[in-house]
């Protein structure tokens, strides 16, 4: 007699540390949908509860570091994890708690999306939190995925007389400990969106994407989670960055607008196409 292997045991699990977003445009809900779309099993450790919609953030309420740690360690003791993904941490105590948790699992790749503010500009991190990120999390980060303003803020130096270039920011962030840095150009004033992946030796790849009209809520969460999912599925960092960008652009080119504010990426765009379901993207596969 043969028995079927439960499907859940065949899916790579990704543990996400992030805040909730009741609109499901960004935050831990966006992470869950992205990872599920790519054939991963999402695990979650909630860092904060936010009050927000597609227009903006009204308030952020960090959870205690003790409760955050209990969530993460409980699932880590129960299931194998193939990758970590970090989003909004919302308090200094939570930065320190997450740094301690991931420090106990140095063999697990860590994708860190340093969400310092919402797309509208609502602040999530003060200078004390940013300093702790630099000192405690960057040295443990496999891949850092800031947009250009976040990269400049993380890499700023009091001796700077002028705004540092993106290349200088990437070099500084790698010197702080990140193995790779993917700086996205969504906030730059360029005809196309230019995303650049840096390593210790400099530029690894540069990708140009059509700049789509409109404003999007959750594109950064989608990209970072897609990279985590691809790495969990066995892809190299460079291949994961390539495939995750393609997936994310497709979610933005097929957006949803359920509210009165920004567009939301459709993480299950492929399920609403005319193609057969077996054409759905899988972790580690090119879209």
């Amino acid at each position: 007699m043969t028995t079927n292997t439960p499907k859940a045991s065949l899916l790579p699990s990704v543990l996400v540390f992030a805040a909730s977003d009741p609109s499901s445009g960004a935050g831990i809900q966006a992470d869950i949908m992205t990872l599920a779309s790519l054939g991963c099993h999402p695990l979650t450790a909630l860092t904060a509860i936010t009050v927000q919609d597609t227009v903006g953030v009204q308030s952020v309420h960090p959870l205690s570091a003790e409760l955050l740690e209990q969530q993460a360690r409980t699932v880590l003791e129960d299931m194998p994890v193939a990758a970590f993904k970090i989003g909004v941490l919302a308090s200094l105590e939570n930065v320190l708690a997450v740094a301690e948790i991931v420090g106990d699992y140095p063999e697990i790749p860590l994708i860190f999306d340093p969400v310092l503010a919402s797309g509208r500009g609502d602040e999530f991190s003060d200078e004390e939190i940013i300093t702790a990120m630099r000192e405690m999390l960057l040295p443990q980060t496999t891949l850092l995925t800031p947009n250009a303003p976040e990269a400049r803020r993380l890499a700023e130096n009091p001796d700077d007389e002028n705004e540092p270039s993106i290349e200088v920011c990437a070099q500084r962030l790698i010197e702080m400990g990140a193995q790779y840095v993917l700086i996205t150009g969504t906030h730059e004033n360029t005809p196309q969106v230019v995303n650049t992946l840096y390593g210790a030796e400099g530029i690894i790849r540069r990708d140009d994407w059509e700049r789509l009209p409109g404003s999007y809520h959750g594109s950064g969460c989608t990209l970072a989670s897609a990279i985590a999912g691809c790495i969990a599925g066995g892809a190299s960092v460079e291949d994961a960055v390539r495939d995750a960008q393609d997936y994310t652009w497709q979610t933005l080119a097929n957006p949803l607008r359920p509210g009165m504010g920004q567009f939301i990426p459709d993480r299950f765009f492929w399920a609403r196409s005319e193609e057969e379901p077996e054409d759905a993207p899988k972790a580690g596969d090119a879209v």
Side-chain angles (χ1 to χ4, degrees):
M1 178 182 295
T2 60
T3 58
N4 292 328
T5 302
K7 288 184 178 179
S9 67
L10 302 176
L11 305 180
S13 294
V14 177
L15 175 56
V16 179
F17 300 89
S20 71
D21 173 3
S23 78
S24 292
I28 212 157
Q29 289 90 334
D31 299 322
I32 290 170
M33 287 188 284
T34 299
L35 290 167
S37 177
L38 290 172
C40 293
H41 181 63
L43 310 173
T44 61
L46 194 64
T47 62
I49 295 172
T50 71
V51 179
Q52 63 178 301
D53 54 19
T54 59
V55 177
V57 180
Q58 297 182 32
S59 59
V60 180
H61 307 272
L63 271 64
S64 70
E66 293 77 12
L67 183 54
L68 168 59
E69 183 172 6
Q70 288 174 14
Q71 295 174 80
R73 293 203 183 276
T74 297
V75 295
L76 281 164
E77 291 171 4
D78 181 45
M79 309 177 207
V81 170
F84 291 126
K85 188 265 180 177
I86 299 176
V88 170
L89 296 175
S91 73
L92 173 62
E93 292 76 16
N94 283 351
V95 173
L96 300 179
V98 171
E100 183 176 354
I101 294 164
V102 300
D104 290 339
Y105 300 87
E107 74 284 359
I108 298 178
L110 170 59
I111 291 76
F112 181 19
D113 180 20
V115 185
L116 308 183
S118 72
R120 191 181 67 168
D122 309 288
E123 289 288 332
F124 287 132
S125 303
D126 59 23
E127 289 305 317
E128 192 175 37
I129 291 174
I130 291 172
T131 298
M133 288 178 176
R134 293 186 188 114
E135 296 177 356
M136 306 299 294
L137 284 176
L138 261 61
Q140 303 188 68
T141 296
T142 306
L143 174 65
L144 186 72
T145 64
N147 58 37
E150 290 166 342
R152 292 188 177 102
R153 191 170 175 191
L154 280 169
E156 65 184 357
N157 188 312
D159 296 330
D160 289 335
E161 295 183 1
N162 300 304
E163 185 176 78
S165 67
I166 292 300
E167 287 73 18
V168 168
C169 290
Q171 180 181 5
R172 289 178 180 176
L173 294 169
I174 288 172
E175 289 172 354
M176 291 178 193
Q179 294 180 40
Y180 300 91
V181 178
L182 173 67
I183 300 181
T184 60
T186 52
H187 290 67
E188 298 293 271
N189 186 23
T190 54
Q192 292 184 302
V193 174
V194 182
N195 300 332
T196 310
L197 176 65
Y198 298 87
E201 303 303 318
I203 295 175
I204 295 175
R205 65 178 299 125
R206 178 179 280 127
D207 297 284
D208 296 352
W209 297 93
E210 177 187 349
R211 187 175 291 279
L212 299 168
S215 177
Y216 298 84
H217 180 48
S219 58
C221 300
T222 304
L223 176 60
S225 288
I227 294 172
C230 290
I231 288 176
S236 66
V237 168
E238 184 175 356
D239 287 347
V241 165
R242 178 198 64 205
D243 294 351
Q245 287 182 85
D246 190 38
Y247 168 81
T248 302
W249 191 89
Q250 295 289 347
T251 70
L252 300 175
N254 298 276
L256 306 172
R257 198 184 185 196
M260 295 182 289
Q262 295 175 298
F263 292 105
I264 289 177
D266 184 1
R267 287 101 186 178
F268 292 94
F269 66 89
W270 50 264
R272 281 170 271 280
S273 72
E274 295 180 357
E275 297 177 353
E276 294 299 318
E278 56 263 28
D279 291 332
K282 299 293 190 299
D285 292 344
V287 178

